[in-house]
């Protein structure tokens, strides 16, 4: 027998058996890992989806906030690739040197710990791996006993079957607790060393790595970092609107950080302006203010100051004045005038600022803020000087429903969603509905953007007004002379760059608003108090207006430059009569430059007929207003009609004055004769000479009043209750 061959045969046989056994082991391990991977581990899935603190930065990379979780805990998440290698190696060296070699449980560490603990007669060391420590976070046990150790070991093996080593270490380093409301190495480095992970020194990494096995070490560390708390109202708004939901999860994102469009330096300046303005207005019962600033072209938010101070002692600081609804007053008028221009009105049109009754069953008799009436007023002056009667007359002409559709396109959801805009009725012309400062400021930029309103972040927008209409409004709202009738020549709004401004006061003086805009920036300022108390007995628009101007001055200094406002393409400036707004006739003694249509001005604007050889003759609609000899009334300029009472009007007895005679005002204009006959319910009650005005005795019931003049007749029905 050849023993060499037998020996060779035996060796080959043994080698084959070893390979078969090894193959079986490999197959078993592979199947086991596949089973672990496939079997559900809901606790691990929930752990991967746990909330993490979102880091919020401004447009320049300045840290604005690190959002805390429940109880003030902060847990920032950093991807494995962005955790410095020195930090990863330091924790592996301190916690689990064979981390990349074992399957979740380290047999050598178990044997070593068992020997040391048996030899010492007490627990000298543990055998927990990084994966076992992670398993305790994933599925914690109420008691730390032997069964808990077994549970940790089993779960560690399950974790290793589902996740890569990189992912396990990533989850561990981002979730390991360090006490004092800190979890994860990034938050801990910031809290105790005021450093980013990448800036930690070797000894600092060593200290942090020793804390998990020696928790008493954390007592040697004191918090050094003061977490920033900028833009509190804006960040709260973003959180409530779900803006952070997709970013604040550890396992389903790359980096839970949000970069906002805001500017921290601008926010600081705006906050200082608010504080100074409130201090200056302390005697006017103004206790708070808010500022909203956005990019005119994109709508991106640049500053959001919700109150004078978040920590106000009176508790009102956390109310957001940017979102809080208030009556904007006259600051809404430009949107109405723009719609009127879009509907065919011209800048040369003259509007009657005279005592007027509007409405039918609900009569509305507006007053100007200075309790004066200015007679015939050109559209430019009526808007720039913020006169009330012309604005209400325009809304009465256009219709509330049409205006509301425009306001909806401008983003005034506050007026649409709860129907408050329709309830305000004609008072909507004077800002009677309640809106937010944010809505108001974002809509105001439509004028400096040629009638387009671009949605923030979308790049797309909606056309609200024609480009020429928007440019005409910019011309009016930047016209110092046109504002003089209402505000005088010394004004807060003068700037060294092209800008537009509009102010408004709530009808009971609860709040005052100012809007300002350039091609680059739009600013809104609100001042008042959150209790809703009357703040002052006058408009006081200079208070927020000076704040808005200061912020625009800050933004427009040097830097980006201001392109100014474009000229309307379909209009050209020509001289028009300063009284009638028409192209001047030979008798007009005062003219102003105004935009008229490039084509067809003679037909569309017409020639002045008010000035005649023997003086100025106003249409009969001005008869109640005219009280001087500077002009006369051209009574035959229009057909006979009753202007008061209103058709369908309802008039009510003043119950507090029942012992006194109460009247309904009668007034008629037009007619070709100087005498008119007035009949009430078919019976003649008076023969009037010019002007046709009188007080009619009021009795309860339904009535018909008729006027007859030179063959013309007009009648209206009204009721008294």
């Amino acid at each position: 027998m050849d023993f060499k061959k037998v020996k060779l045969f035996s060796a080959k046989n043994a080698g084959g058996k070893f390979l078969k056994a090894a193959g079986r082991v490999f197959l078993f391990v592979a199947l086991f890992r596949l089973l672990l991977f496939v079997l559900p581990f809901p606790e691990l899935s929930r752990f991967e989806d746990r909330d993490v603190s979102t880091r919020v930065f401004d447009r320049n990379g300045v840290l604005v906030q690190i959002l805390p979780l429940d109880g003030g805990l902060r847990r920032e998440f950093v991807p494995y690739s962005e955790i410095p290698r020195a930090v990863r190696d330091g924790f592996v060296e301190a916690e689990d040197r064979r981390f990349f070699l074992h399957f979740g449980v380290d047999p050598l560490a178990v044997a070593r710990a068992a020997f040391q603990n048996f030899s010492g007669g007490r627990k000298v060391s543990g055998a927990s791996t990084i994966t076992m420590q992670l398993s305790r976070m994933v599925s914690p046990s109420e008691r730390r006993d032997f069964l808990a150790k077994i549970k940790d070991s089993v779960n560690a093996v399950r974790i290793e079957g589902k996740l890569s080593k990189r992912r396990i270490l990533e989850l561990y380093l981002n979730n390991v607790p360090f006490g004092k409301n800190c979890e994860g190495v990034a938050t801990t480095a910031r809290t105790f060393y005021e450093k980013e992970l990448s800036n930690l020194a070797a000894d600092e990494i060593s200290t942090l790595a020793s804390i998990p096995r020696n928790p008493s070490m954390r007592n040697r560390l004191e918090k050094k970092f003061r977490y920033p708390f900028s833009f509190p109202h804006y960040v709260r708004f973003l959180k409530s609107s779900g803006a952070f939901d997709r970013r604040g999860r550890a396992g389903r994102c790359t980096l839970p950080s949000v970069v906002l469009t805001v500017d921290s330096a601008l926010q600081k300046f705006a906050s200082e302006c608010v504080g100074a303005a409130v201090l200056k207005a302390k005697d006017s019962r103004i206790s708070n203010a808010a500022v909203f600033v956005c990019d005119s072209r994109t709508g991106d938010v640049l500053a959001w100051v919700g109150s004078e101070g978040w920590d106000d002692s009176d508790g009102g600081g956390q109310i957001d004045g940017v979102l809080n609804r208030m009556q904007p007053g006259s600051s809404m008028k430009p949107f109405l005038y723009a719609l009127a221009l879009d509907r065919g009105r011209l800048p040369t049109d003259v509007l009657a600022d005279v005592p007027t009754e509007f409405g039918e069953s609900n009569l509305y008799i507006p007053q100007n803020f200075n309790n004066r009436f200015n007679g015939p007023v050109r559209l430019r002056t009526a808007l720039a000087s913020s006169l009330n009667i012309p604005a209400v007359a325009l809304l009465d002409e256009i219709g509330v429903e049409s205006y509301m559709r425009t306001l909806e396109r401008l983003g005034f959801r506050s007026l649409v969603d709860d129907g408050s805009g329709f309830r305000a009725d004609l008072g909507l012309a004077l800002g009677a509905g309640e809106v937010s400062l944010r809505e108001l400021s974002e809509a105001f930029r439509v004028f400096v953007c040629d009638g387009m309103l671009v949605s923030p972040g979308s790049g797309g927008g909606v056309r609200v007004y024609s480009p020429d209409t928007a440019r005409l409004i910019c011309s009016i709202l930047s016209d110092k002379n046109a504002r003089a009738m209402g505000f005088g020549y010394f004004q807060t709004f003068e700037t060294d760059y092209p800008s537009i401004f509009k102010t408004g006061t709530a009808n009971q003086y609860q709040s005052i608003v100012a809007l300002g805009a350039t091609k680059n920036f739009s600013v809104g300022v609100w001042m008042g108090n959150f209790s809703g108390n009357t703040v002052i007995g006058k408009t006081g628009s200079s208070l927020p207006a000076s704040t808005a101007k200061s912020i625009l001055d800050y933004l427009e200094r040097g830097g980006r430059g201001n392109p100014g406002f474009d000229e309307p393409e379909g209009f050209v400036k020509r001289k028009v009569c300063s009284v009638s707004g028409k192209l001047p006739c030979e008798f007009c003694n005062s003219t102003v430059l105004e935009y008229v249509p490039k084509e067809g001005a003679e037909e569309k604007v017409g020639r002045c007929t008010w000035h005649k050889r023997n003086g100025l003759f106003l249409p009969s609609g001005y008869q109640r207003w005219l009280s001087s000899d500077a002009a006369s009334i051209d009574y035959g300029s229009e057909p006979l009609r009753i202007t008061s009472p209103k058709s369908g009007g309802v008039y009510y007895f003043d119950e507090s004055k029942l012992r006194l005679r109460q009247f309904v005002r009668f007034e008629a204009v037009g007619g070709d004769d100087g005498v008119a006959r007035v009949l009430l319910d078919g019976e003649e009650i008076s023969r009037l000479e010019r002007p046709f005005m009188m007080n009619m005795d009021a009795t309860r019931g339904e009535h018909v009043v008729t006027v007859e003049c030179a063959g013309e007749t007009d009648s209206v029905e009204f009721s008294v209750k």
Side-chain angles (χ1 to χ4, degrees):
M1 180 180 290
D2 189 341
F3 287 101
K4 289 184 178 180
K5 291 182 179 179
V6 172
K7 189 177 291 186
L8 181 61
F9 174 79
S10 299
K12 287 182 179 179
N13 191 40
K17 288 181 179 180
F18 175 77
L19 289 175
K20 287 182 180 179
R24 290 191 187 99
V25 171
F26 178 79
L27 180 61
F28 174 78
V29 171
L31 290 173
F32 181 67
R33 288 186 65 86
L34 178 62
L35 182 64
L36 291 176
F37 181 78
V38 172
L39 287 175
F41 195 169
E43 295 95 330
L44 179 59
S45 298
R46 286 194 295 269
F47 186 82
E48 287 189 275
D49 276 339
R50 74 196 312 217
D51 291 338
V52 299
S53 295
T54 301
R55 291 184 290 271
V56 185
F57 298 90
D58 80 348
R59 67 193 301 119
N60 300 312
V62 176
L63 185 63
V64 169
Q65 284 195 42
I66 299 176
L67 304 184
L69 305 175
D70 292 341
L73 173 71
R74 284 181 172 85
R75 182 195 305 124
E76 299 173 61
F77 182 87
V78 181
Y80 182 89
S81 60
E82 297 185 21
I83 300 174
R85 180 161 188 169
V87 174
R88 301 196 306 257
D89 291 348
F91 274 81
V92 169
E93 177 68 22
E95 291 294 306
D96 188 358
R97 294 180 182 178
R98 286 177 292 277
F99 170 71
F100 289 100
L101 302 176
H102 61 67
F103 56 88
V105 177
D106 185 354
L108 295 178
V110 172
R112 173 185 52 77
F115 175 77
Q116 290 178 346
N117 294 340
F118 179 78
S119 301
R122 59 185 177 85
K123 183 177 180 179
V124 177
S125 64
S128 292
T129 63
I130 283 177
T131 314
M132 291 174 66
Q133 292 181 53
L134 179 62
S135 74
R136 287 202 295 271
M137 300 180 214
V138 170
S139 182
S141 300
E142 293 184 5
R143 299 176 60 183
R144 298 306 306 157
D145 52 18
F146 180 72
L147 291 177
K149 280 282 187 183
I150 297 298
K151 175 184 174 183
D152 294 342
S153 301
V154 172
N155 283 339
V157 175
R158 295 172 69 190
I159 290 173
E160 294 271 350
K162 281 190 169 292
L163 305 177
S164 68
K165 287 289 187 179
R166 287 167 57 104
R167 177 61 171 157
I168 291 170
L169 187 56
E170 179 186 68
L171 283 176
Y172 172 77
L173 292 176
N174 280 292
N175 290 277
V176 59
F178 288 91
K180 299 184 180 181
N181 267 342
C182 293
E183 288 186 1
V185 291
T187 299
T188 305
R190 190 188 307 278
T191 301
F192 297 126
Y193 294 114
E194 295 184 290
K195 292 182 178 181
E196 298 288 339
L197 272 178
S198 57
N199 297 327
L200 285 177
D203 61 323
E204 293 167 340
I205 294 174
S206 177
T207 299
L208 294 182
S210 67
I211 290 178
R213 287 194 181 274
N214 187 8
S216 62
M217 286 285 294
R218 72 181 57 147
N219 297 326
R220 303 179 186 179
L221 300 176
E222 294 185 2
K223 288 186 176 182
K224 294 182 179 179
F225 182 71
R226 183 173 181 177
Y227 286 91
F229 193 60
S230 300
F231 301 92
H233 297 91
Y234 184 40
V235 170
R236 183 179 64 184
F237 164 74
L238 292 174
K239 287 174 65 178
S240 65
S241 62
F244 298 152
D245 284 356
R246 292 176 289 109
R247 303 172 184 264
R249 303 287 180 175
R252 303 291 183 254
C253 65
T254 56
L255 186 65
S257 297
V258 177
V259 179
L260 304 179
T261 58
V262 294
D263 186 307
S264 294
L266 172 62
Q267 177 81 358
K268 183 175 183 294
F269 179 78
S271 298
E272 291 172 351
C273 287
V274 163
V278 171
L279 182 63
K280 185 177 181 180
K282 63 181 180 179
D283 295 332
S284 299
R285 293 206 298 272
I286 288 177
S287 61
N288 236 306
V291 169
F292 178 86
V293 186
C294 66
D295 185 299
S296 292
R297 294 183 179 89
T298 65
D300 289 341
V301 177
L302 301 178
W304 183 308
V305 182
S307 65
E308 195 271 335
W310 179 268
D311 297 319
D312 282 353
S313 58
D314 62 1
Q318 295 184 27
I319 299 175
D320 194 343
V322 172
L323 297 177
N324 199 43
R325 294 184 182 184
M326 47 77 187
Q327 285 191 355
S330 295
S331 60
M332 291 287 287
K333 288 176 182 173
F335 308 117
L336 175 61
Y337 276 81
L339 181 56
L341 289 171
D342 256 5
R343 292 290 185 87
R345 282 285 193 169
L346 296 174
T348 53
D349 285 352
V350 166
L351 305 174
D353 184 27
V354 298
T356 310
E357 298 173 351
F358 296 97
E360 294 180 357
S361 58
N362 295 314
L363 291 178
Y364 184 47
I365 309 174
Q367 301 286 325
N368 284 323
F369 63 87
N370 58 3
N371 295 315
R372 279 176 27 193
F373 300 100
N374 301 282
V377 181
R378 285 177 293 113
L379 184 146
R380 171 181 294 271
T381 303
L383 172 56
S385 289
S386 203
L387 302 179
N388 288 342
I389 289 102
V392 178
L394 284 179
L395 181 55
D396 191 41
E397 172 186 306
I398 291 170
V400 172
E401 187 171 349
S402 294
Y403 185 39
M404 281 294 295
R405 285 197 294 268
T406 299
L407 292 177
E408 185 173 9
R409 296 175 70 199
L410 284 163
F412 286 102
R413 300 304 313 175
S414 295
L415 295 172
V416 176
D417 290 342
D418 62 0
S420 61
F422 285 104
R423 289 195 298 274
D425 199 38
L426 292 179
L428 196 61
L430 310 183
E434 292 189 341
V435 302
S436 71
L437 182 65
R438 179 193 177 202
E439 292 172 317
L440 198 58
S441 307
E442 288 185 335
F444 192 64
R445 63 191 172 92
V446 73
F447 303 119
V448 297
C449 294
D450 277 353
M452 284 287 291
L453 202 59
V454 177
S455 302
S458 70
V462 58
R463 175 157 297 287
V464 185
Y465 305 111
S466 70
D468 275 2
T469 287
R471 294 172 184 182
L472 288 171
I473 293 294
C474 286
S475 170
I476 294 170
L477 295 183
S478 59
D479 188 341
K480 172 185 174 181
N481 292 327
R483 288 195 289 255
M485 178 181 288
F487 303 101
Y489 283 96
F490 180 76
Q491 299 162 11
T492 309
F493 313 115
E494 295 183 52
T495 61
D496 296 330
Y497 46 85
S499 60
I500 62 173
F501 286 92
K502 190 70 188 78
T503 60
T505 305
N507 60 7
Q508 296 299 320
Y509 305 108
Q510 302 97 327
S511 56
I512 44 181
V513 175
L515 303 173
T518 66
K519 281 281 191 179
N520 298 321
F521 308 103
S522 295
V523 178
V525 179
W526 165 86
M527 296 186 70
N529 54 68
F530 292 125
S531 62
N533 294 328
T534 298
V535 294
I536 47 180
K538 54 185 178 180
T539 58
S541 59
S542 61
L543 294 166
S546 60
T547 302
K549 178 182 177 296
S550 295
I551 294 172
L552 282 179
D553 287 345
Y554 173 90
L555 288 166
E556 290 289 356
R557 68 199 192 288
R560 295 173 59 176
N562 189 317
F565 305 126
D566 297 322
E567 291 288 309
E569 294 180 355
F571 291 80
V572 64
K573 279 191 174 181
R574 287 181 60 177
K575 288 183 178 181
V576 299
C577 173
S578 62
V579 182
S580 69
K582 305 292 185 180
L583 297 175
C585 68
E586 60 178 311
F587 304 113
C588 293
N589 53 17
S590 175
T591 60
V592 294
L593 284 174
E594 184 55 274
Y595 287 105
V596 301
K598 277 185 178 179
E599 298 180 1
E602 289 286 345
E603 295 77 20
K604 295 175 181 178
V605 178
R607 287 283 169 182
C608 178
T609 58
W610 292 9
H611 286 95
K612 303 181 188 298
R613 186 180 300 276
N614 55 340
L616 173 63
F617 292 83
L618 301 180
S620 57
Y622 293 95
Q623 67 182 19
R624 187 192 296 189
W625 167 78
L626 189 62
S627 59
S628 70
D629 296 328
S632 302
I633 298 296
D634 185 359
Y635 291 109
S637 61
E638 59 180 299
L640 180 70
R641 63 184 176 91
I642 297 173
T643 58
S644 178
K646 300 291 291 184
S647 179
V650 180
Y651 299 81
Y652 292 87
F653 267 104
D654 186 341
E655 299 295 333
S656 66
K657 300 177 180 177
L658 288 179
R659 294 184 179 181
L660 303 176
R661 293 181 66 189
Q662 298 188 40
F663 304 96
V664 173
R665 180 72 173 173
F666 171 83
E667 180 176 355
V669 297
D672 288 332
D673 195 2
V675 178
R677 183 167 171 253
V678 182
L679 298 89
L680 181 62
D681 299 329
E683 295 185 8
E684 181 178 316
I685 59 172
S686 180
R687 286 182 179 267
L688 299 176
E689 295 183 355
R690 298 285 189 186
F692 300 152
M693 295 184 289
M694 64 173 292
N695 291 328
M696 298 185 298
D697 282 321
T699 59
R700 285 187 170 91
E702 305 292 327
H703 302 283
V704 177
V705 62
T706 303
V707 62
E708 299 174 350
C709 178
E712 292 184 85
T713 302
D714 188 32
S715 297
V716 298
E717 297 179 357
F718 68 98
S719 60
V720 178
K721 295 185 177 180

